[in-house]
Amino acid sequence: MTLGACSRGDQSAETTSTSNAALLYSNRAVRPFSDEMNKDTMQVTVNGESLLTGQVYLKVVSHTGKVMYWDRFPVTELIEHDGPIDPGKDEEQVRDQLNHFFASTHFAHPRTGDTDQLTVPDSARSTWAFIERDPKATVFSYRVRKNSLTGIAYSQQLKKVVASTGQ
């Protein structure tokens, strides 16, 4: 897993838009992430022709309206098995994962050791140290790309989202 400062939030609106494809699914959470006093909006959507062939878009918007983080990946990355797609079973699994995308179990505090499942390579230790020293930091983790864990947190010192990317 590689960690680094994430500049995705600085991308243009054109880059972070969800596309012109049909909106098939949307789930949203409004909760403290970058600031414990103000709530940010986290949204996951699926756009495309079908729930099993679409694209997943994850966006985190600050309480001031700035896009702090975004990610895009094929919805098939939410399917936990290899091999042929089983439309009925896999669509149910995708819906279940999207319905629980922002479950409280996906949020943790690094100071309490709740993020021990995130492996930080030596090259990223100094970046992640900003998060570990912040008693108010929150890490949001989501599992995609065949069970690879991605974790994001807002660094008050760096004034940006720090992201981990699974291998």
Side-chain angles (χ1 to χ4, degrees):
M1 184 166 301
T2 305
L3 289 168
C6 180
S7 61
R8 287 181 170 177
D10 299 331
Q11 299 295 318
S12 70
E14 184 178 329
T15 306
T16 61
S17 70
T18 55
S19 90
N20 294 329
L23 176 64
L24 302 171
Y25 181 90
S26 182
N27 185 6
R28 189 176 115 162
V30 179
R31 59 178 297 142
F33 176 68
S34 66
D35 179 343
E36 71 176 354
M37 300 303 291
N38 297 294
K39 295 180 179 179
D40 301 317
T41 301
M42 305 176 98
Q43 183 174 22
V44 62
T45 59
V46 176
N47 292 50
E49 293 181 22
S50 81
L51 193 57
L52 292 177
T53 62
Q55 291 285 311
V56 176
Y57 295 85
L58 170 62
K59 185 167 45 172
V60 180
V61 180
S62 73
H63 64 280
T64 63
K66 180 183 177 193
V67 176
M68 297 185 294
Y69 179 80
W70 67 273
D71 193 7
R72 179 182 71 183
F73 51 90
V75 75
T76 53
E77 296 294 338
L78 294 175
I79 298 171
E80 297 175 348
H81 66 82
D82 292 322
I85 300 292
D86 178 339
K89 184 178 179 182
D90 291 338
E91 188 171 311
E92 182 180 331
Q93 178 186 26
V94 166
R95 281 189 197 281
D96 185 57
Q97 285 195 31
L98 292 168
N99 285 336
H100 296 96
F101 207 82
F102 301 116
S104 61
T105 56
H106 296 205
F107 293 85
H109 297 283
R111 304 258 315 171
T112 62
D114 291 341
T115 59
D116 290 342
Q117 73 275 11
L118 296 175
T119 304
V120 182
D122 290 340
S123 62
R125 293 248 180 240
S126 61
T127 302
W128 195 249
F130 288 118
I131 300 300
E132 291 176 328
R133 286 193 299 266
D134 184 352
K136 299 174 186 174
T138 298
V139 176
F140 169 65
S141 299
Y142 58 102
R143 210 170 274 288
V144 295
R145 297 174 182 88
K146 306 298 183 203
N147 287 321
S148 176
L149 188 65
T150 298
I152 62 172
Y154 185 81
S155 169
Q156 292 294 333
Q157 288 181 311
L158 297 175
K159 300 294 184 210
K160 62 175 64 180
V161 172
V162 176
S164 68
T165 306
Q167 296 179 13

